[in-house]
Amino acid sequence: MAYVSNGDALTDYVAIPGWSVNIDAWGLCTASVTYKVNSTVDKVSPLVVGEALDDDAFAFMKAHKSSSKYDGMNIATVTIDYVGIWPGGDPEDPSASTVPQLFSASSLSSDNITTHENFFTAAADYSEVISGVSFSADTMPGIGPAVKKLNADGTIVPVPCHLTNNGAAFETATGGRFIGFVDPAFPAFYGKTNYLTPTANFTGIVYTTDEELVGEFVNKMGWVSATNDWAGTLPKLVPSYMGTDFVGNLGSQLLLSQASVEVFAGAIYKVSFEVKFSREGWHPAVYKDIAPTA
């Protein structure tokens, strides 16, 4: 039986009514539109990534991917997914970026006891200083291992280690190497080397059409900041409920530790980032600070 073609030859893509647009709370827009077209046309000139959605109100959305289904009547059913950034009501002047979608995770991690803020100097909200700096004299009977002392004549002799609070032992009377907690009279500390410290990581996603912003993310990786927007060079990467000033004893508390980039629809970039929070702060001699506080 001969094939008879009537009606529209479908030499161009014709949208099937009923397509929908989804807009999330951060400003990312997605749409899925189904088209009918002559299968020969679709095979010869398939989707062009980055092509605008053919609708005046949603022309800011660009084609991201497609799928085609061919039937026996030389007709292709083509579904094209679009993505864009909500323009705030003006399609001619679209927003450059979505609001960062933020996730936070707080937990306890193990750290060396000597890094504790209450180890040498008494800090607020603790019952007592862990070690302090009141080192015992050389003549005090030693508890724990002996250490080597170099005499003026060049001889080396064993001497007792020097003790502070809770059986903390040091190599010299001014500190030196920390040997450990060596006095079993303090069972809460005896033999301990680490403690659990609060840590927080912040991860997030932002979509943007601003290539300069993408470059800022990549360039600021490894930099620390005392503000959640890296002195205005980045969007707010830490939620406001955590505060606005992030300065610890050692330096700024926020470190941009990851920035990975994925390209969508030819002109939209997905940036995934991670920020590490340090209670003590990241020392500016080790980490570059976007705006040092001192």
Side-chain angles (χ1 to χ4, degrees):
M1 182 175 181
Y3 172 76
V4 179
S5 177
N6 292 316
D8 193 329
L10 294 176
T11 57
D12 199 0
Y13 291 81
V14 177
I16 297 177
W19 53 277
S20 61
V21 175
N22 299 301
I23 306 172
D24 67 19
W26 297 273
L28 182 69
C29 304
T30 56
S32 183
V33 183
T34 300
Y35 298 86
K36 292 291 186 179
V37 69
N38 187 288
S39 60
T40 302
V41 172
D42 182 63
K43 292 176 181 178
V44 173
S45 57
L47 159 76
V48 177
V49 173
E51 186 174 344
L53 176 57
D54 188 17
D55 185 282
D56 290 343
F58 297 105
F60 64 90
M61 303 182 70
K62 304 298 189 295
H64 170 50
K65 64 180 181 179
S66 72
S67 62
S68 300
K69 181 180 180 181
Y70 306 107
D71 62 24
M73 303 299 292
N74 291 333
I75 296 176
T77 302
V78 182
T79 301
I80 301 179
D81 292 339
Y82 295 87
V83 63
I85 298 172
W86 179 244
D90 185 1
E92 299 301 323
D93 184 23
S95 302
S97 305
T98 61
V99 175
Q101 184 176 357
L102 302 176
F103 311 88
S104 63
S106 299
S107 61
L108 294 176
S109 64
S110 180
D111 207 349
N112 192 285
I113 190 67
T114 57
T115 65
H116 198 292
E117 63 177 342
N118 191 50
F119 189 76
F120 286 115
T121 305
D125 301 323
Y126 296 98
S127 62
E128 61 174 306
V129 67
I130 296 174
S131 167
V133 293
S134 299
F135 301 96
S136 63
D138 286 353
T139 56
M140 179 179 179
I143 299 176
V147 295
K148 296 178 180 179
K149 178 182 178 181
L150 178 63
N151 290 330
D153 61 3
T155 59
I156 298 176
V157 295
V159 298
C161 55
H162 304 267
L163 303 179
T164 59
N165 294 348
N166 298 308
F170 293 84
E171 196 169 34
T172 72
T174 55
R177 179 174 62 91
F178 174 62
I179 298 172
F181 293 98
V182 298
D183 191 344
F186 301 93
F189 295 91
Y190 182 65
K192 303 295 193 302
T193 58
N194 287 52
Y195 76 107
L196 294 177
T197 181
T199 62
N201 287 343
F202 302 93
T203 58
I205 298 171
V206 63
Y207 293 84
T208 183
T209 58
D210 187 349
E211 290 185 348
E212 291 186 3
L213 179 59
V214 175
E216 287 290 344
F217 268 102
V218 175
N219 292 334
K220 294 300 183 297
M221 190 171 61
W223 286 63
V224 299
S225 176
T227 61
N228 60 3
D229 62 357
W230 270 248
T233 62
L234 297 174
K236 292 182 179 180
L237 306 186
V238 174
S240 298
Y241 62 75
M242 289 295 295
T244 56
D245 297 320
F246 300 90
V247 181
N249 294 332
L250 298 180
S252 298
Q253 295 173 307
L254 302 180
L255 170 67
L256 183 61
S257 58
Q258 177 185 333
S260 56
V261 182
E262 186 176 353
V263 181
F264 280 80
I268 297 177
Y269 300 89
K270 176 184 177 181
V271 181
S272 303
F273 59 86
E274 180 185 62
V275 174
K276 291 186 179 295
F277 172 83
S278 169
R279 185 174 60 179
E280 290 294 307
W282 307 93
H283 200 288
V286 180
Y287 300 92
K288 294 181 179 179
D289 196 321
I290 187 67
T293 56

